[in-house]
Amino acid sequence: MSRVYARQAIRRAAVTALTAALAATGLLATAPTAQAAPPTPVGASTARTYLGQLAVRAEGSSSGYSRDAFPHWITQYGTCNTREVVLHRDGTGVEQDSGCAAVAGRWYSEYDGATWTLASDLDIDHVVPLAEAWRSGANAWTTSDRRAFANDLTRPQLIAVTDNANQAKGDKDPAAWMPSRTAYRCTYARMWVHVKHHWGLSVDTAEKSALQSTLNAC
């Protein structure tokens, strides 16, 4: 073998080894560019307009509700489900293994201002909770529509936050719960209205009043 061919063979072997190493860490997954935040919600002025367009009615019953009615954490690409996509998107320096699980990274929880380095400390919050959506009109949707809602990466519906903050929120609307980090409340209200408007969900009077107060202060 000539020296030229020998050098080419060495380079090819090096590239192959590097590719294998990246694949093993999941870095070759066809992942979207990390932005460390959910999609930007509409501005406060637009959110106020959207809020005025939402149907106002008493909150419906939870009868028949089940999280299983909203199939979530579906596969988005390769071995990556919705949870792992959001963890990758909302974190910085996120490393994923071959199964797309986040094994390293840094996450800032907008709800409470905490920073985490273990993915297990984070929940993926549905900004408009599934049960809230059910009581606001999603009970009449098809399973396909509820699946799309529960895995919506296009609207600001999913965000990685401290697990305890997410659990404290539960299925409460803004009349009963807002992020403890007051600097994020305007953004949160904009997110909530953006999602409800897109999906044609209703609001009750207390919820609308809380959102109006928050948006007017933005």
Side-chain angles (χ1 to χ4, degrees):
M1 180 182 293
S2 70
R3 290 183 178 178
V4 172
Y5 287 145
R7 286 196 296 271
Q8 290 176 339
I10 291 170
R11 282 197 295 271
R12 282 196 298 271
V15 170
T16 299
L18 177 59
T19 300
L22 289 172
T25 60
L27 296 179
L28 290 183
T30 311
T33 302
Q35 61 188 58
T40 303
V42 296
S45 177
T46 300
R48 287 191 288 269
T49 299
Y50 280 5
L51 181 60
Q53 295 171 349
L54 296 180
V56 181
R57 62 173 66 99
E59 197 166 82
S61 169
S62 294
S63 178
Y65 168 72
S66 167
R67 286 180 67 84
D68 292 340
F70 294 79
H72 52 288
W73 305 168
I74 61 173
T75 300
Q76 293 290 342
Y77 54 80
T79 58
C80 301
N81 66 23
T82 306
R83 172 182 165 82
E84 297 302 340
V85 171
V86 175
L87 285 172
H88 182 271
R89 182 197 69 189
D90 290 1
T92 55
V94 178
E95 298 177 15
Q96 297 169 303
D97 65 18
S98 58
C100 204
V103 295
R106 187 178 181 86
W107 293 269
Y108 178 76
S109 171
E110 294 284 5
Y111 286 2
D112 57 0
T115 298
W116 304 98
T117 56
L118 292 176
S120 58
D121 288 320
L122 298 147
D123 280 352
I124 306 304
D125 181 45
H126 289 96
V127 171
V128 175
L130 304 183
E132 164 69 21
W134 178 271
R135 298 189 296 263
S136 303
N139 61 315
W141 293 355
T142 64
T143 299
S144 177
D145 286 339
R146 289 193 289 264
R147 179 187 298 110
F149 175 81
N151 297 277
D152 189 357
L153 294 168
T154 304
R155 265 64 54 179
Q157 163 65 345
L158 300 170
I159 183 172
V161 296
T162 303
D163 52 5
N164 288 343
N166 182 51
Q167 291 154 23
K169 171 184 172 179
D171 63 356
K172 302 179 183 72
D173 70 27
W177 186 93
M178 290 288 276
S180 62
R181 182 170 164 258
T182 56
Y184 200 67
R185 290 181 179 179
C186 176
T187 301
Y188 182 78
R190 289 159 48 208
M191 294 165 77
W192 184 282
V193 173
H194 186 157
V195 171
K196 280 217 162 179
H197 185 270
H198 175 82
W199 287 97
L201 296 169
S202 64
V203 290
D204 62 42
T205 53
E207 175 188 354
K208 182 174 182 178
S209 178
L211 288 164
Q212 283 178 325
S213 295
T214 302
L215 290 172
N216 287 340
C218 289

